[in-house]
Each structure stands twice: as structure tokens, then as C-alpha cells.
Amino acid sequence: MTATVLVLNAGSSSLKWDLFAAPALTSLKSGVVERIGEEGGVPDHAAALAAVLDELGEDRPAVVGHRIVHGGRSFSGPALLDEAAVAEVERLVPLAPLHNPAALAGVRAVAERLPDVPQVGAFDTAFHQTMPEAAARYALPAWCEAEHGVRRYGFHGTSHQYVSRVAGEFLRETAGRSPAELKLVTLHLGNGCSAAAVSGGVCVDTSMGLTPLEGLVMGTRTGDLDPAAVTYLQRSAGLSAEEMDRLLNRESGLKGLCGDNDVRRVLQRAADGDADAELALDVYCRRIRKYVGAYAAALGRLDGVVFTAGVGENAAEIRRRVCEPLAGFGIALDAAANARRSKEVRRLDAGGPVAVLVVPTDEEGEIARQAWGLAGVG
Ligand code: ADP
């Protein structure tokens, strides 16, 4: 029987799973258990895992890879989830109060049901741990970092790592470029949005910070904001810390600006002449352009811009609105290439100095690759 890798992505009320066949790591099947701990659902993550294992039948995985949101400074790559690693993920719970406990529940459920199967954690923060200290530090008193861990960790790392690697391979094969010398800006535009500056495959800056709230405008998150707006609104609108948290994370972004967070819907409304939707798109795309410019400056040169995730892969109009005003920086889109829909890695520029690429992301596949690479028992 072929060895398989099971990838688990545990949220507070859902468990997504993907089964891959090693060593090629082709996807065999996938699914999601929803409403964990809710009415009409299974009681907990252990029961959710039991449901997944039932679905797998005879397919007992050789390795289990877990998506873990926060790895703090401790994990700069995938890690075998031994006792010490699990304790460290536990220690980081205050920085990711919804996500890390869910992942830990998944790890414990696997340990109970499949005690001999090695488990590997792949961390959203890991790829960004190469950021220079100057990119990672906020200009706060040192004790905020030393005593409370307040620094920039970055997220979506698995996706930025995957798409920057694939973009490098693509440009080597199609344009004879050396991946080790490429300076790329990767744009993960989904419900959450983030940018990364990647030099020779190594992350040197990214837009998300202590939490996944900083940086780009997102579906329901503000991204960058004058921090004084937070304290000002707390006082003037009488908002508690919890209410503020909710406002910034769930009621802002595109949704706050125009009432809709689904980019398809916002684009449709703007096309129909809706001024709020048009403004929301302007704020969203301007922020992306500012980050492309900032990261070109941080990298010292720009060889490519890579679009990925739901919006980046599918929304030609967003790519056009981001790239067209940047033509003066050598970022020139080919309109026909941009309009073409495909699941393939593809190049959208008209042959200018800056390659513009779409690389469909594959976070589960990348987690499987990392888990197999670390614990492969083939
Ligand atoms: P997540 O961050 O949850 O993984 P995705 O990467 O799937 O999310 O991205 C979801 C976003 O992608 C939604 O805002 C949706 O509007 C957007 N999206 C998906 N398809 C399209 C499309 N054809 N045009 C514009 N936006 C799209």
C-alpha cells in the first residue's frame, strides 16, 4: 500500500483535511468536518478526527501534518510535534487565542488515535522568521517585545513560501533566471490579505505583524491604521477592548467601507456605478500598490510581482487596478494575458523588466511536502 500524508487544518469549529499519496504527494481526497462543538455537529476535535479516520477507512497515514497559525520566534520551519514542541505551541496561545488551541486539540486527538504516527507542525509564521530585526521590530519601548512578545511575526507564510518557490522555478525554466537572485513581491489576496518581500527565496519583510490584522486592507479587517484611532474610538465611542477587536477584525476592511466583503460582489457593484464599492476598491488597491512600492525599496530592485489566493488568482480587474498605475516602475500588464482564466502558473506582463505572475497557492500541498520531508518514513 502507498504511504499517505494526512494534512489537518483545525479551526475553532471546523477541521479541514487532505490526504496525499507519498512520495509524489498527489492529492487523494479531502473534506471538512464542520460545526465542531455546535448544535447539530460533533462534540469536539477528537470526534471530528474520528469522523475523518472513518472516512479514510484502511488508509492509515504514515505522517500527519498540522497547520499551526502561530509559531512565534521558536519555529522557523516545520517541526516534529514532540512534547517540547507541543508545550511551545501551548505557550503561544495568548498570541493566537482562537487558532493555536484548535490545532493543539487536533494534535492531541491524533496522538490518542494514532499514537505511533509522527506528527509535524507547519507554522504560518515560520517563513517570515528570516526577516531582519529592523523589519520585525515595532518602535515601542524594548520591554513590550522582551516581556510581551510584541513584534512582527507575519502570517500566510506557507503560501508565500510556496508561491515564491514556484515562481522562482517558473522563471528559471521560462526565462533563464536564477531563483537565488530573484527579488519578488508576493501578494496573497484572499479573505485575509498579505504581502511579502522575498529575496532569493528568503523572506525579508511582510505586511502582517503581531497578529494577522496589520498591512493590507482585507475582507473584514482594517490592515494598517493609525494606532491612535483605536484609543480615540475607545474613548469617544465608548468601545471596550473586545468591541474594538471585533470592529477591527470583523466589521472593517471592504465590509466596513461598502458593506460587502466578497470581492466578486464589490467588483460587480462598482461596475454598476456604486460609489461606496468604487471607493472600497480604491482603498484596497492603493494599499496593495503602496506595499509593492515599499517592498521594491526594501529589496533594492524588483524582478517580479506574484498574485495568489482567491482574489489574486481570479480577479483580473483587481490585478489591473494594482498594476496599471505602476507602469512607470516597469510593471506592465498584457491585457489579454491578464484576462485569461486558468489554474496554471502563468505570466501576465508584456515582457517588461518586472515579471507579473499568477501562481495558484497550495497551502495543504506545501504542508504535506514539509511533513513528508521531515518525517518521511517511505
Ligand atoms: P481564504 O483566505 O479564506 O483562503 P480564498 O483564498 O479562497 O480565501 O479567497 C476568498 C476571496 O476570493 C473572496 O473574497 C472572494 O470574493 C474572492 N474570489 C474568489 N473568486 C473570485 C473571482 N472570480 N473574482 C473575484 N474575487 C474572487
Side-chain angles (χ1 to χ4, degrees):
M1 211 166 72
T2 50
T4 58
V5 181
L6 176 64
V7 172
L8 296 179
N9 182 348
S12 51
S13 68
S14 71
L15 181 66
K16 290 190 207 147
W17 62 274
D18 282 80
L19 189 72
F20 295 85
L25 300 177
T26 43
S27 175
L28 293 173
K29 48 184 162 180
S30 63
V32 56
V33 183
E34 287 173 305
R35 295 201 304 277
I36 299 173
E38 292 170 11
E39 210 172 305
V42 295
D44 54 22
H45 284 79
L49 179 76
V52 175
L53 295 179
D54 282 349
E55 189 110 3
L56 299 187
E58 295 296 297
D59 272 331
R60 282 291 176 264
V63 188
V64 177
H66 295 266
R67 176 194 178 209
I68 301 182
V69 165
H70 220 304
R73 299 185 72 178
S74 320
F75 301 101
S76 53
L80 263 180
L81 294 171
D82 55 17
E83 234 171 89
V86 167
E88 186 57 18
V89 174
E90 182 96 59
R91 197 184 66 81
L92 293 164
V93 163
L95 287 173
L98 296 179
H99 290 101
N100 275 22
L104 285 166
V107 173
R108 291 199 189 95
V110 172
E112 209 162 284
R113 284 291 300 265
L114 306 169
D116 301 328
V117 173
Q119 303 195 63
V120 173
F123 301 88
D124 276 26
T125 46
F127 181 57
H128 305 302
Q129 298 315 301
T130 49
M131 275 195 289
E133 197 63 7
R137 284 292 287 275
Y138 293 113
L140 285 165
W143 62 263
C144 299
E145 206 259 343
E147 291 170 32
H148 299 275
V150 176
R151 61 186 276 122
R152 312 189 57 256
Y153 297 97
F155 297 87
H156 288 149
T158 307
S159 179
H160 289 291
Q161 180 171 19
Y162 173 78
V163 302
S164 57
R165 188 180 71 244
V166 170
E169 289 164 1
F170 181 84
L171 290 173
R172 181 180 60 212
E173 283 158 25
T174 59
R177 304 294 303 259
S178 161
E181 284 160 18
L182 280 177
K183 294 183 185 292
L184 304 174
V185 173
T186 51
L187 298 169
H188 178 108
L189 309 176
N191 285 315
C193 300
S194 65
V198 183
S199 178
V202 174
C203 178
V204 296
D205 209 338
T206 194
S207 59
M208 285 175 165
L210 174 72
T211 75
L213 182 58
E214 192 180 348
L216 303 181
V217 177
M218 314 184 202
T220 63
R221 293 175 237 169
T222 51
D224 293 336
L225 181 75
D226 180 345
V230 177
T231 44
Y232 175 77
L233 272 174
Q234 284 184 314
R235 285 192 213 104
S236 62
L239 299 181
S240 68
E242 285 67 31
E243 287 166 335
M244 200 64 224
D245 215 44
R246 191 178 161 75
L247 177 78
L248 299 173
N249 280 290
R250 306 207 170 275
E251 294 161 6
S252 297
L254 293 172
K255 186 175 181 197
L257 284 163
C258 76
D260 269 309
N261 60 289
D262 189 312
V263 169
R264 274 168 297 207
R265 175 91 186 114
V266 182
L267 284 167
Q268 187 56 54
R269 282 176 52 192
D272 294 341
D274 181 312
D276 291 343
E278 185 60 38
L279 176 66
L281 288 178
D282 268 354
V283 176
Y284 181 91
C285 292
R286 167 180 286 255
R287 184 78 54 84
I288 297 170
R289 289 197 303 273
K290 283 172 74 167
Y291 268 91
V292 172
Y295 287 172
L299 289 163
R301 188 185 76 228
L302 185 60
D303 299 317
V305 175
V306 182
F307 286 91
T308 195
V311 178
E313 293 167 27
N314 298 303
E317 174 63 12
I318 296 290
R319 295 192 299 256
R320 186 187 70 75
R321 286 173 180 245
V322 169
C323 293
E324 266 185 11
L326 299 176
F329 295 97
I331 301 172
L333 271 190
D334 178 272
N338 186 42
R340 206 170 297 130
R341 296 186 65 88
S342 155
K343 287 273 151 219
E344 304 286 304
V345 179
R346 55 201 192 274
R347 192 162 170 174
L348 310 180
D349 58 283
V354 180
V356 181
L357 305 177
V358 170
V359 177
T361 195
D362 182 13
E363 287 164 286
E364 287 73 24
E366 178 65 16
I367 293 170
R369 201 188 66 88
Q370 295 187 1
W372 182 253
L374 200 67
V377 285

